[in-house]
């Protein structure tokens, strides 16, 4: 019977990066994923790398480490992640004062620049000038979400790591509260350590073991298009992003998350669009705070809402051919991920809850792998899943 040093549950960007870094430092690693064709949040994400956005000393340091990592990552992984730096255009609604919006960004690592309506339309010709009072712009990183994930996985395999596909059923534990493996629909895998990188289903997975963790999720919805002849010059996003504020509000009463029929807050829509290098677009996003991860969503009504909202900002994109998709997006109370050992079971860890995964996952995966190898790391310690009780 083979016993791995680490079993990593979830092969989105989070699990893939961590599995690679653990393998890189010499551990035997098994990466477990439910779907051979990805259906996770990474698959439907923008792939944006907000290396300019850190507000605290820790997040600013991680932003700098993250962008430094990306600039060498394609070469290290021997794969084209389609990393690039492009203009982020953050639109300011017509009824909002641009100067006030600018002030709200002054604490970030690289504050964006305020531009006029005319300058915004020169930067992004598809923009509707009638619905904005100006815009903010800053350089923003971007990768192809699936390509970087597959690059991490292939590099892990090249180093001797393994990946298996199957439906997760349960964690294997002993009477002495030791986690010793994972049972799937096909077999049971054994490991000295198990780490949960399951994004939006991490809360449900932990709850099945009687563990209550301060990790939450929203239902995110986007429209994905095939490659199009339309040329988008920037990554478009609202300057007054509602999602982060509502994520924080949704966690104020933790008991609400124990009732599967609850909708904690009304849905919101942050109109954003990115174009991948193959010409395809991802337009979104609707965020819903439904406690049930399997909640039914009216896809037709949601798609109509998305298209009407996109048409107002980018008129030529509202009716393009595309398919509505839905996934779960993990988050925490304080926008920092949960990283570290779960005290209820020895050998059980978590590496999840990334609000901005593409900037924070790569540097924190490096740090976590070194930390569990015996190196001290104060940043990893501050992201403990028990930090609200320590």
């Amino acid at each position: 019977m083979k016993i791995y040093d680490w079993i990593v549950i979830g092969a989105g960007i989070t699990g893939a990066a961590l599995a690679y870094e653990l393998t890189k430092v010499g551990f035997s690693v098994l990466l477990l994923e439910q779907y051979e064709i990805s259906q996770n949040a990474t698959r439907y994400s923008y792939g944006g790398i907000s290396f300019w956005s850190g507000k605290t000393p820790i997040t600013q340091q991680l932003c700098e480490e993250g962008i430094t990592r990306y600039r060498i990552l394609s070469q290290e992984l021997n794969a084209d992640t389609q990393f690039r730096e492009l203009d982020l255009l953050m639109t300011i609604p017509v009824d909002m004062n641009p100067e006030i919006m600018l002030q709200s960004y002054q604490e970030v690592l690289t504050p964006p620049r305020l531009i006029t309506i005319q300058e915004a339309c020169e930067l992004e010709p598809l923009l509707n000038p009638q619905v904005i009072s100006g815009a903010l712009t800053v350089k923003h990183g971007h990768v192809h979400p699936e390509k970087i994930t597959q690059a991490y996985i292939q590099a892990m395999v090249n180093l001797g790591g393994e990946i298996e596909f199957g439906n997760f059923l349960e964690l294997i534990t002993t009477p002495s509260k030791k986690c010793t493996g994972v049972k799937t629909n096909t077999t049971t895998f054994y490991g000295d350590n198990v780490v949960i990188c399951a994004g939006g289903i991490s809360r449900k997975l932990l709850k099945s073991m009687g563990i209550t963790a301060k990790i939450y999720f929203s239902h995110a919805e986007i429209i994905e298009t095939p490659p199009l002849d339309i040329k988008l010059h920037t990554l478009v996003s609202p300057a007054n992003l509602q999602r982060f504020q509502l994520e924080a509000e949704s966690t104020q009463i933790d008991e609400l998350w124990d009732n599967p029929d609850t909708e904690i807050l009304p849905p919101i829509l942050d109109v954003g669009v990115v174009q991948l290098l193959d010409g395809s677009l991802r337009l979104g996003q609707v965020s819903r705070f439904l406690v049930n991860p399997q909640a039914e969503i009216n896809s037709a009504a949601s798609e109509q809402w998305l298209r009407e909202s996109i048409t107002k900002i980018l008129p030529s994109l509202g009716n393009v051919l595309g398919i509505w998709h839905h996934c779960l997006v993990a988050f925490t109370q304080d926008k920092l991920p949960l990283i570290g050992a779960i005290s209820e079971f020895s050998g059980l860890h978590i590496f999840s809850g990334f609000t901005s995964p593409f900037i924070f996952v790569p540097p924190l995966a490096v740090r976590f792998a070194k930390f569990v190898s015996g190196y001290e790391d104060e940043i990893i310690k501050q992201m403990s899943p028990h930090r609200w009780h320590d």
Side-chain angles (χ1 to χ4, degrees), residues 219-241:
H219 296 251
E221 302 155 44
I222 68 157
I223 295 172
E224 182 181 43
T225 80
L228 301 174
D229 291 333
I230 295 172
K231 173 64 176 175
L232 189 72
H233 293 77
T234 62
L235 194 163
V236 178
S237 174
N240 58 328
L241 203 62

Side-chain angles (χ1 to χ4, degrees), residues 357-389:
F358 285 89
I359 184 57
F360 293 133
V361 165
L364 285 171
V366 172
R367 285 176 169 273
F368 183 84
K370 291 180 178 178
F371 180 70
V372 297
S373 299
Y375 292 87
E376 289 293 312
D377 193 305
E378 289 304 316
I379 287 180
I380 293 295
K381 288 180 179 179
Q382 290 183 56
M383 296 187 181
S384 163
H386 305 285
R387 58 181 175 266
W388 290 279
H389 309 294

Side-chain angles (χ1 to χ4, degrees), residues 74-185:
S74 288
Q75 181 178 0
E76 179 178 321
L77 301 179
N78 193 29
D80 180 14
T81 65
Q82 296 191 357
F83 170 71
R84 55 185 169 145
E85 294 178 43
L86 73 169
D87 293 312
L88 172 65
L89 186 70
M90 295 182 282
T91 58
I92 302 172
V94 69
D95 60 351
M96 188 167 289
N97 186 318
E99 294 291 344
I100 293 176
M101 183 57 65
L102 177 65
Q103 285 302 311
S104 68
Y105 281 87
Q106 291 311 297
E107 295 180 359
V108 301
L109 182 62
T110 305
R113 178 171 57 93
L114 178 62
I115 58 177
T116 65
I117 297 173
Q118 181 179 345
E119 289 171 323
C121 291
E122 289 172 355
L123 195 61
E124 183 48 73
L126 299 184
L127 198 62
N128 177 9
Q130 304 300 318
V131 298
I132 63 171
S133 60
L136 302 175
T137 187
V138 67
K139 287 296 182 181
H140 192 80
H142 186 260
V143 286
H144 191 296
E146 293 170 276
K147 289 186 181 297
I148 190 169
T149 303
Q150 290 305 313
Y152 266 128
I153 292 171
Q154 187 58 55
M156 176 206 67
V157 171
N158 292 344
L159 290 174
E162 301 175 32
I163 182 169
E164 294 283 347
F165 297 94
N167 293 326
F168 170 84
L169 296 181
E170 62 180 323
L171 295 175
I172 306 301
T173 59
T174 67
S176 60
K177 296 285 188 175
K178 163 71 175 172
C179 184
T180 58
V182 178
K183 184 178 182 180
T184 71
N185 63 319

